[in-house]
Amino acid sequence: MRPLPHTLGFLPTLFGEDLRQTGPLILYSAFTGALAGLLVALLNLLLRALSALLGLLFGYLPPEAPGERGLLQAFTGPPFWPLALLLPPLFALTSFLGTGQGLSALLLAAREGRPPPRHTHPRTILGGVLQISLYSPMGREGPFGVLGLWLGSALDHRFPRMGGGLAFAGLAAGLAAAFHAPVAGALLATEILYRSLLLEARALTPALIGALSGFAVYGAFFGYTPLLPFRVEVELTAIPLGALIGLLAAALATFWTEGSRFLEGRLRGLVLPLRHALLGLALAFLLLFLPEALGSGLGWVAIATTPLLPPLALLYLLLAKLLLLLLAQGVRAHGGPYTPALVLGGFLGALLARFSGPLALPPEALALAGGAAVLSGVARAPFAATVLAAEWGGYAILPLVIPAVLLAYVLTPAHAPEEGFKEAPATPEAPPSETPLQREPPPPAPGADAEPGSPRG
């Protein structure tokens, strides 16, 4: 029995090394997430103030998601209808702010240690906030996520021994705040880096910590209720209907992504201000004739699950929103594409609920499943989409959501957009979770003890 202590003598060494690596990563990730949550809360206050001010000018305040501000809505129309024609020049002006780079491009640059051009992050944030306050259909997760990523990247440069994980912590905090879903925000922050089901395990740890601490701070300002609090329960008999939703969601996601790529190619010859002015012109037309299509649309998803909207009106709203998002993606409008995916899928599910039959389910359940399915296909993030539906509606919805999400993910074509999804090759010798992209750590200071390694994010 004497050799036993000698055999296990390496355990204290490894335990101490793990503590040296993991302890600081947890603390710095929690700090990054909390600070990002505070900054995102302040940014959301700015966004809400701008939206209210411009809504009074143009005579329309879209309904917001019930989990944050309730279903407040006001529509009187512009006091003088030519005011709507201010939207095209305003969108042309905001086009000078953005840089055309999305979350995936900036995350990839941060992961590889490539600093983006100067002022890229603040320009992207400001451009997104201004266009969203001007009724853009794109999602607020764009500027929120970029703000968190900017903070995390800055802290990564300040503390290089963290191995780049703080960028994921900041980004996850921004996404968690945007969706009121911390676990889904953490998964989405890691899934958008790759085009396949690969996950970077060492990035998921700071992302989860950052998302939880960030949402804890953000929720102190805006509450912790899910954006769409649809608490529903379904049985295993809902699996066939989930498969049907997945098929329809894949068709919808494919039409949106392929159509926007086609339109982007046709409009590439136009300068960016003119392209964004086209979006402003479409919004001006809708402001006068169909204002329900303006804004993010999550509030209208909540309304669509009630009898207030007849089926024909819901169909018109779905088609108008789809065409507007085709144009917004085609002209590369500022903002995120993930909230629009949830809205399109939510309208699809609410519309399916209007058809009674042996597989009829509550409209809230179908709206959540449809939104998660379209998000899975568009974002290439089935894990985040599934968990998001569970965080909003409860885990009793999974028999309906899982087949919808998986089918939509498999059947929606995957592309590598210019803004940069990247898939690291997985080999038995070097899986992506063990060899993430990162810069070499700086050499230790003279006289300092050499460390066996640095934590990698």
Side-chain angles (χ1 to χ4, degrees):
M1 300 299 294
R2 296 179 60 86
L4 185 58
H6 175 73
T7 305
L8 299 180
F10 64 93
L11 286 181
T13 303
L14 287 182
F15 186 67
E17 179 182 341
D18 287 342
L19 280 180
R20 288 197 301 270
Q21 292 182 347
T22 305
L25 180 62
I26 292 175
L27 294 177
Y28 281 111
S29 297
F31 171 76
T32 302
L35 184 55
L38 176 61
L39 295 178
V40 167
L42 297 177
L43 182 64
N44 194 33
L45 290 175
L46 173 63
L47 175 60
R48 293 173 63 173
L50 284 174
S51 300
L53 179 63
L54 293 171
L56 292 176
L57 173 65
F58 291 105
Y60 179 55
L61 290 173
E64 296 293 334
E68 192 161 291
R69 195 166 60 173
L71 297 175
L72 302 177
Q73 178 191 194
F75 178 64
T76 60
F80 183 52
W81 74 263
L83 278 176
L85 298 180
L86 288 176
L87 287 173
L90 288 175
F91 267 83
L93 289 175
T94 57
S95 68
F96 291 101
L97 292 172
T99 60
Q101 290 188 321
L103 279 176
S104 54
L106 296 175
L107 176 60
L108 182 62
R111 203 70 189 94
E112 292 181 336
R114 295 183 289 103
R118 192 178 181 184
H119 304 312
T120 294
H121 292 99
R123 287 175 57 194
T124 303
I125 295 167
L126 187 57
V129 166
L130 289 177
Q131 288 199 353
I132 292 170
S133 64
L134 287 167
Y135 304 124
S136 171
M138 304 305 288
R140 64 178 186 172
E141 70 277 0
F144 286 11
V146 171
L147 177 57
L149 178 61
W150 185 21
L151 172 66
S153 301
L155 292 177
D156 272 329
H157 285 287
R158 178 65 180 84
F159 306 105
R161 292 293 182 183
M162 296 299 102
L166 301 184
F168 286 95
L171 173 60
L175 295 177
F179 295 117
H180 282 220
V183 180
L187 287 170
L188 186 59
T190 54
E191 282 187 273
I192 61 176
L193 184 61
Y194 300 109
R195 293 177 300 174
S196 70
L197 293 178
L198 296 175
L199 283 180
E200 194 171 328
R202 293 178 185 261
L204 189 58
T205 298
L208 281 170
I209 297 170
L212 291 169
S213 60
F215 184 57
V217 174
Y218 179 87
F221 290 83
F222 300 102
Y224 302 96
T225 306
L227 286 184
L228 294 178
F230 296 157
R231 292 293 171 177
V232 292
E233 294 185 9
V234 299
E235 304 292 339
L236 289 178
T237 54
I239 291 178
L241 188 54
L244 175 62
I245 293 175
L247 292 174
L248 296 177
L252 187 61
T254 301
F255 183 81
W256 178 27
T257 55
E258 295 296 327
S260 60
R261 285 167 58 87
F262 175 81
L263 188 59
E264 181 183 349
R266 293 297 179 269
L267 297 176
R268 192 166 294 171
L270 300 178
V271 295
L272 189 60
L274 188 55
R275 279 184 274 171
H276 282 206
L278 289 176
L279 176 60
L281 184 61
L283 293 173
F285 176 82
L286 291 172
L287 176 63
L288 297 174
F289 298 101
L290 189 62
E292 294 84 357
L294 302 181
S296 70
L298 276 178
W300 282 107
V301 172
I303 297 174
T305 59
T306 69
L308 294 176
L309 281 181
L312 189 59
L314 182 54
L315 177 61
Y316 287 155
L317 184 56
L318 171 62
L319 294 177
K321 197 72 175 180
L322 176 60
L323 294 177
L324 184 59
L325 286 170
L326 275 173
L327 179 60
Q329 283 280 83
V331 303
R332 299 181 69 85
H334 307 324
Y338 308 131
T339 296
L342 292 168
V343 171
L344 285 180
F347 286 151
L348 173 65
L351 187 61
L352 287 177
R354 304 303 176 92
F355 300 96
S356 60
L359 298 179
L361 289 175
E364 294 86 357
L366 296 177
L368 281 178
V374 176
L375 175 64
S376 172
V378 170
R380 312 303 301 161
F383 302 127
T386 302
V387 173
L388 177 63
E391 287 189 279
W392 281 4
Y395 287 93
I397 199 176
L398 289 182
L400 178 67
V401 168
I402 290 178
V405 164
L406 294 181
L407 270 178
Y409 175 79
V410 170
L411 297 179
T412 304
H415 297 285
E418 292 179 0
E419 56 263 29
F421 286 89
K422 185 171 183 177
E423 178 180 358
T427 62
E429 295 80 9
S433 62
E434 298 299 328
T435 58
L437 299 168
Q438 67 173 36
R439 297 177 299 168
E440 290 295 327
D449 294 335
E451 295 184 11
S454 62
R456 293 177 291 184

